[in-house]
Amino acid sequence: SLQLARVMLRDGVDRGQALAALAAQASREARLAAADDVLTNDGPVEALHAAVARLDQCYRLLPPRQDPD
């Protein structure tokens, strides 16, 4: 899978190590259920950059968080 290949390239590990790292993670379904926003990276890099910029702008418009006392 693309995810497996990316882990191997990024971490410089073999297939077995990459599979173990992926198996230790929460499932994709669980990560998506917990996410406030999801960016997909399945198209041109320009589309990803545009999506990041849009999301960044949305977050910059939010009021500052209030720290609990």
Side-chain angles (χ1 to χ4, degrees):
S1 78
L2 181 58
Q3 185 181 25
L4 180 62
R6 286 181 175 173
V7 170
M8 291 171 63
L9 180 63
R10 181 195 69 209
D11 296 349
V13 297
D14 64 32
R15 179 179 170 80
Q17 291 170 309
L19 285 170
L22 292 174
Q25 294 180 359
S27 71
R28 178 167 178 78
E29 293 78 20
R31 292 191 315 270
L32 290 173
D36 290 322
D37 297 288
V38 176
L39 294 173
T40 58
N41 188 17
D42 57 1
V45 70
E46 297 81 11
L48 179 61
H49 289 175
V52 168
R54 283 190 303 274
L55 190 56
D56 176 65
Q57 186 61 33
C58 289
Y59 273 92
R60 290 178 187 270
L61 294 173
L62 293 174
R65 289 180 58 174
Q66 299 293 321
D67 290 327
D69 293 332

